[in-house]
Amino acid sequence: MLNATVRECAVPRNPGQIQGASSDLAKERPVAAPAEVAALVDAITPPYCAAVLLAPWCGAPPR
């Protein structure tokens, strides 16, 4: 809506527009293989097992 106001010259520029924010330059991240996920589940404490099992299926990004 603010871009329309800029086009109509009611405001000089859109202060909410961030230069380069619409471009996707992120590199593709590797995905863990099912065997790697199983090994991780075996190595962690039980409270985190469900989160580790769900993360690959939910598209959760690695941290």
Side-chain angles (χ1 to χ4, degrees):
M1 185 172 209
L2 192 53
N3 286 335
T5 309
V6 172
R7 282 192 300 272
E8 294 172 4
C9 299
V11 293
R13 66 180 188 85
N14 181 349
Q17 191 168 7
I18 300 171
Q19 189 73 7
S22 63
S23 62
D24 183 16
L25 301 175
K27 294 181 181 177
E28 183 136 355
R29 294 183 177 155
V31 178
E36 293 172 317
V37 174
L40 183 58
V41 168
D42 290 339
I44 62 174
T45 58
Y48 302 106
C49 289
V52 170
L53 288 170
L54 284 173
W57 300 105
C58 297
R63 296 221 177 234

